[in-house]
Amino acid sequence: MATPLPADRLVAALRAEGVTVVEHPGWRTHHRNHAGAWGPVTGVMIHHTVSSGTASSIELCFNGYEGLPGPLCHGVIAKDGTVHLVGNGRANHAGGGDPSVLQAVITETYGDRPPAPRVHQGSPGAVDGNSRFYGFECVNLGNGTDPWPAAQLDAIERVSAALCRAHGWGAKSVIGHLEWSDWKSDPKGFGMPVLRDRVQTRLGKDPAKATPGTTKPAPPRLQPFPGSSFFRKETSSPVITAMGRRLVAEGCSAYAVGPGPRWSEADRLSYAKWQRKLGFRGSDADGIPGAASWSALKVPYTK
Ligand SMILES: [Zn+2]
């Protein structure tokens, strides 16, 4: 059980895992916290929308419908793999579910699947899932034949891994709605045990690397994070030049000339732009590199 991630940290965790994130207007203050608890959280729940079309699915999940006000999840995962954030806090996605499933997720003690749920929203003994799970709605008709594109499955894997990594969970903290409530069938069209295998494999690697199913040559070696103190000293290093070139490539340049090897105020201002692009704010976006933003920047190894 863990404290839910604040919005900035959620965005940064997703982007560091290689997720393409779109912040839907108003999502940061959109929640159901007035209707019940949000947190402590224990896992991630995957759903399908029973809808088609990205824009209309986002609207549905942001606004909800009569009898079920939005947000209906935290993020909508489109068919192209883009993740649109629509809620930040308690969301109407999980409903009531099986306490034995909750326990199995908390302890991560089950085999391929958690125990089959025997309860649903409103049944005696059902426990509140909306306080315990992040929810992601995947755009799919849910009829078993609507395809799940590779990019969408890849995004589901990355979103799940990002939250597990941020909270120190294993892949058994990721379940489908059908594993929570005996009334539910989502997600339909792929197996949660297979998804959990993919998430667990990803958790064993550095974030934002290796797209499954591709056989590209090994990626170029990356410069390890040299530590924040490296940048607080009067420093001249080819690592600074390599960093600056990556900042320029990411559209985060504050350079009038350069970049060059000597750490400068232009480097700091450029790096602060990068931190804000990742979703960091305040002192987390002071322009002094930290481990997470450095890893996401993918600075080529120089020496
Ligand atoms: Zn669902």
Side-chain angles (χ1 to χ4, degrees):
M1 302 273 256
T3 304
L5 295 181
D8 287 347
R9 286 193 52 206
L10 174 63
V11 172
L14 293 175
R15 291 196 170 136
E17 202 71 43
V19 176
T20 304
V21 177
V22 175
E23 300 193 45
H24 190 72
W27 83 278
R28 285 170 180 259
T29 54
H30 194 41
H31 53 71
R32 300 279 307 155
N33 294 0
H34 51 285
W38 169 232
V41 285
T42 192
V44 181
M45 194 175 293
I46 304 299
H47 306 262
H48 62 220
T49 55
V50 196
S51 68
S52 61
T54 302
S56 57
S57 299
I58 293 165
E59 283 307 311
L60 171 70
C61 290
F62 187 87
N63 293 319
Y65 49 85
E66 192 171 350
L68 194 67
L72 303 186
C73 58
H74 298 96
V76 177
I77 304 180
K79 290 230 188 246
D80 68 359
T82 306
V83 177
H84 300 259
L85 295 174
V86 296
N88 175 33
R90 183 184 174 89
N92 271 329
H93 70 97
D98 197 313
S100 59
V101 174
L102 181 63
Q103 200 54 36
V105 170
I106 290 171
T107 56
E108 298 191 341
T109 47
Y110 60 88
D112 273 0
R113 298 173 191 277
R118 287 162 302 179
V119 303
H120 45 256
Q121 173 68 27
S123 24
V127 291
D128 172 32
N130 293 335
S131 60
R132 298 281 172 262
F133 289 90
Y134 297 96
F136 286 83
E137 287 278 0
C138 309
V139 177
N140 190 279
L141 291 172
N143 57 11
T145 56
D146 189 16
W148 291 85
Q152 191 178 29
L153 291 171
D154 182 62
I156 299 168
E157 172 192 323
R158 287 175 192 262
V159 163
S160 302
L163 287 162
C164 288
R165 203 187 295 280
H167 287 300
W169 299 331
K172 288 185 179 179
S173 289
V174 182
I175 63 172
H177 203 183
L178 78 173
E179 293 173 318
W180 176 243
S181 161
D182 63 0
W183 270 2
K184 297 295 179 178
S185 63
D186 59 321
K188 192 171 190 174
F190 67 89
M192 288 303 297
V194 172
L195 175 69
R196 281 188 285 268
D197 283 349
R198 289 177 58 164
V199 171
Q200 195 60 46
T201 300
R202 170 167 287 282
L203 287 172
K205 300 174 185 167
D206 283 347
K209 279 192 191 166
T211 302
T214 61
T215 51
K216 284 185 288 192
R221 280 183 71 195
L222 300 180
Q223 189 71 42
F225 179 54
S228 294
S229 59
F230 177 85
F231 304 97
R232 290 200 168 91
K233 289 180 258 176
E234 182 76 357
T235 292
S236 184
S237 162
V239 173
I240 307 282
T241 311
M243 176 204 76
R245 288 185 182 139
R246 285 289 303 128
L247 292 171
V248 171
E250 291 289 342
C252 296
S253 174
Y255 298 101
V257 290
R262 184 165 294 279
W263 176 256
S264 69
E265 182 65 5
D267 288 305
R268 192 186 68 77
L269 292 172
S270 301
Y271 204 94
K273 287 188 176 194
W274 170 242
Q275 288 167 323
R276 288 195 296 273
K277 184 174 174 180
L278 291 176
F280 292 105
R281 295 291 182 274
S283 62
D284 291 334
D286 61 2
I288 301 297
S293 57
W294 184 270
S295 162
L297 187 58
K298 300 194 191 91
V299 179
Y301 186 78
T302 50
K303 63 174 293 206

